């Protein structure tokens, strides 16, 4: 018996033309993915950016720092700090001349050129956020990718370092990794990506301590720099984030350097910047720092209720917008307590130590002191006070 099978004719020219249909940049990248993990990295979405305030929108402390603060880690725009051995020779500001898709950037403007021991921009990732995402320090450690937009009046090769440790100042260090990026055109925004290999051996913070540090070299000296790039180092006392013979902002009078769109994510591919809402980004920043300022025109900003114990001591709790990372350090200027038409200046305020539980960090117990004048058992309102047009403040600092 003969069986005949008929198939509808087709135009082979049309079928071949379908192979030329555009599939887009991401489509091409997906087709080149070697593993399922590579494909997932390329289409990743949701909460992927381990950096908080990477678009530099939140600036609770102010928008201009002139001179920029010094010390081992002085925060300017939220979650980004300067490390410098000299502060009076450069300015940090929140700038608005940003690349498409961004409103703000972090900008440093150099004064007179100088040779510093170190000068860098630093970003930190809390251990709770870093260790679980990266699995660093274990056999399951993942690749990381750092991406950012950068602009400078200088061109050349710059250094950026990555380290572990227990403090920004450098204690607890046991490993570091130095990478480079190149700025090709002066005063032009350029997009950079850096892939960081897994680290399976070092100790990385996994609680409310430092998990990971990123340090952009702006003027590190030769003792703080290295020419060894692309490998994890364990032998240098400084675990240098600086690049030997790299371009240094500090060495050129009037030089500028700007950055925004900073993203650190798991995987070997950089994806589009994760834009979070302003309110969410602010709340993430307030875990580490929160302040209240006074109203203008000699008005007062009420904060909380306190109950007087006697003429000089009162006790109360200051609620914070979010749970803070740890018990914060407190600084203040021009506070008073107020009741029944009487205002009494506060001479001191300090936080009581409590058991080390996270949920207690957003209900902080304080004692305020006055020279005299309070009445035991009376309820007082604590105010931030404006004096002759100068705003007072209370600042709670739980930065890493």
């Amino acid at each position: 018996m003969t069986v005949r099978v008929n198939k509808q004719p087709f135009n082979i020219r049309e079928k071949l033309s379908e192979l030329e249909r555009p599939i887009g940049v991401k489509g091409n990248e997906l087709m080149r993915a070697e593993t399922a993990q590579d494909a997932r990295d390329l289409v990743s979405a949701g909460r992927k950016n381990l950096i908080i305030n990477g678009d530099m929108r939140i600036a609770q402390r102010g928008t201009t720092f002139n001179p920029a603060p010094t010390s081992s880690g002085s925060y300017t725009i939220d979650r980004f700090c300067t490390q410098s051995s000299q502060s009076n020779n450069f300015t940090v500001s929140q700038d608005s001349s940003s690349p498409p898709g961004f409103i703000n950037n972090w900008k440093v403007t150099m004064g007179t050129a100088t040779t510093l021991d170190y000068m860098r921009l630093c970003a930190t990732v809390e251990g709770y956020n870093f260790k679980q995402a990266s699995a660093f320090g274990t056999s399951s450690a993942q690749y990381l990718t750092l991406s950012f937009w950068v602009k400078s009046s200088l061109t050349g090769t710059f250094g950026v370092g990555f380290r572990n440790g227990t403090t920004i100042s450098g204690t607890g260090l046991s490993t570091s990794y130095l990478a480079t990026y190149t700025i090709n055109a002066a005063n032009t925004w350029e997009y950079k990506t850096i892939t960081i290999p897994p680290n399976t051996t070092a100790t990385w913070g996994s609680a409310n301590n430092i998990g990971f540090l990123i340090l952009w070299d702006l003027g590190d000296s030769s003792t703080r720099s290295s020419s060894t790039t692309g490998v994890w180092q364990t032998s240098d006392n400084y675990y240098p984030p600086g690049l030997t013979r790299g371009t240094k902002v500090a060495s050129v009078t009037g030089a500028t350097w700007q950055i925004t769109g900073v993203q650190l994510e798991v995987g070997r591919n950089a994806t589009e910047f994760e834009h979070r809402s302003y309110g969410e980004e602010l709340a993430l920043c307030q875990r580490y720092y929160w302040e209240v300022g006074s109203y203008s025109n000699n008005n007062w900003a009420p904060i909380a209720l306190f109950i007087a114990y006697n003429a000089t001591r009162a006790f109360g709790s200051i609620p914070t917008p979010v749970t803070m990372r740890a018990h914060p350090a407190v600084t203040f200027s021009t506070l008073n307590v107020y009741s029944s038409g009487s205002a009494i200046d506060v001479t001191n305020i300090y936080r009581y130590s409590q058991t080390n539980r996270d949920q207690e960090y957003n209900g902080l117990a304080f004692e305020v002191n006055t020279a005299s004048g309070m009445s035991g058992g009376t309820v007082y309102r604590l105010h931030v006070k404006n004096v002759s047009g100068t705003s007072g403040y209370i600042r709670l600092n739980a930065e890493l």
Side-chain angles (χ1 to χ4, degrees):
M1 181 176 67
T2 300
V3 177
R4 296 179 182 275
V5 178
N6 294 323
K7 187 173 183 180
Q8 294 295 324
F10 63 90
N11 187 323
I12 191 170
R13 189 182 299 277
E14 290 180 357
K15 294 297 182 182
L16 289 173
S17 66
E18 290 181 0
L19 298 177
E20 299 177 357
R21 289 180 180 174
I23 58 175
V25 175
K26 288 300 179 186
N28 281 315
E29 291 178 354
L30 283 170
M31 292 179 68
R32 290 196 299 269
E34 297 180 358
T35 66
Q37 181 62 53
D38 288 343
R40 284 194 293 270
D41 291 343
L42 284 165
V43 297
S44 60
R47 292 295 173 260
K48 59 187 177 182
N49 192 359
L50 298 176
I51 299 296
I52 296 173
N53 200 34
D55 55 4
M56 312 297 175
R57 283 182 298 168
I58 311 300
Q60 296 184 83
R61 295 170 177 83
T63 58
T64 302
F65 304 84
N66 184 14
T70 184
S71 80
S72 59
S74 299
Y75 284 85
T76 51
I77 295 171
D78 279 65
R79 305 301 304 126
F80 288 85
C81 68
T82 55
Q83 292 185 321
S84 174
S85 55
Q86 181 178 333
S87 66
N88 61 358
N89 210 31
F90 64 96
T91 299
V92 168
S93 61
Q94 183 191 51
D95 187 76
S96 60
S97 58
S98 302
F102 298 92
I103 297 173
N104 299 115
N105 64 82
W106 188 98
K107 181 178 182 179
V108 60
T109 303
M110 193 63 198
T112 303
T114 187
T115 300
L116 300 173
D117 184 20
Y118 56 92
M119 178 180 171
R120 56 184 75 122
L121 170 66
C122 176
T124 59
V125 182
E126 186 177 343
Y128 278 135
N129 301 326
F130 178 73
K131 187 64 177 284
Q132 180 171 322
S134 70
F136 265 37
T138 74
S139 59
S140 302
Q142 303 292 306
Y143 279 87
L144 299 174
T145 295
L146 175 71
S147 56
F148 55 93
W149 286 89
V150 66
K151 173 183 174 181
S152 178
S153 59
L154 308 177
T155 61
T157 302
F158 295 72
V160 56
F162 310 91
R163 314 199 287 205
N164 68 347
T166 54
T167 66
I168 289 180
S169 60
T171 59
L173 283 170
S174 62
T175 191
S176 66
Y177 183 93
L178 178 61
T180 65
Y181 63 95
T182 300
I183 295 179
N184 301 293
N187 302 312
T188 303
W189 283 106
E190 297 179 1
Y191 181 66
K192 308 299 176 184
T193 65
I194 296 169
T195 300
I196 307 156
N199 183 287
T200 60
T201 57
T203 299
W204 302 87
S206 59
N208 65 337
N209 51 0
I210 287 180
F212 193 68
L213 292 96
I214 307 172
L215 303 107
W216 287 267
D217 174 15
L218 301 176
D220 280 12
S221 66
S222 58
T223 58
R224 305 280 184 170
S225 297
S226 172
S227 58
T228 303
T229 62
V231 295
W232 287 103
Q233 301 183 70
T234 59
S235 60
D236 194 290
N237 290 332
Y238 287 117
Y239 298 95
L243 177 65
T244 301
R245 295 184 298 277
T247 304
K248 310 285 185 177
V249 174
S251 65
V252 179
T253 298
T256 60
W257 185 90
Q258 297 165 254
I259 190 170
T260 193
V262 181
Q263 180 156 286
L264 179 70
E265 57 192 307
V266 174
R268 284 184 277 188
N269 300 284
T271 62
E272 288 81 4
F273 182 81
E274 178 187 359
H275 288 281
R276 295 184 281 249
S277 70
Y278 184 90
E280 183 178 359
E281 208 72 49
L282 175 60
L284 291 171
C285 292
Q286 288 173 332
R287 173 170 172 79
Y288 305 92
Y289 179 85
W290 176 66
E291 71 173 48
V292 176
S294 59
Y295 302 134
S296 59
N297 300 322
N298 295 317
N299 286 318
W300 304 334
I303 302 174
L305 297 178
F306 278 66
I307 300 176
Y309 173 73
N310 56 25
T312 60
R313 303 174 68 193
F315 300 89
S317 177
I318 298 178
T320 58
V322 300
T323 301
M324 301 196 77
R325 181 192 66 85
H327 287 309
V330 183
T331 56
F332 72 95
S333 172
T334 57
L335 304 179
N336 66 27
V337 289
Y338 177 88
S339 180
S340 302
S342 175
I344 306 168
D345 287 342
V346 170
T347 58
N348 192 24
I349 180 170
Y350 60 92
R351 175 190 51 77
Y352 272 112
S353 296
Q354 296 173 289
T355 54
N356 194 22
R357 294 187 299 171
D358 284 351
Q359 60 265 34
E360 292 186 345
Y361 296 159
N362 64 348
L364 300 166
F366 288 87
E367 176 179 341
V368 299
N369 301 141
T370 63
S372 63
M374 290 190 293
S375 177
T378 300
V379 176
Y380 290 85
R381 289 202 311 264
L382 177 67
H383 294 92
V384 180
K385 181 180 175 184
N386 184 294
V387 178
S388 301
T390 301
S391 178
Y393 59 83
I394 183 168
R395 297 168 179 163
L396 305 185
N397 188 336
E399 296 285 4
L400 288 161

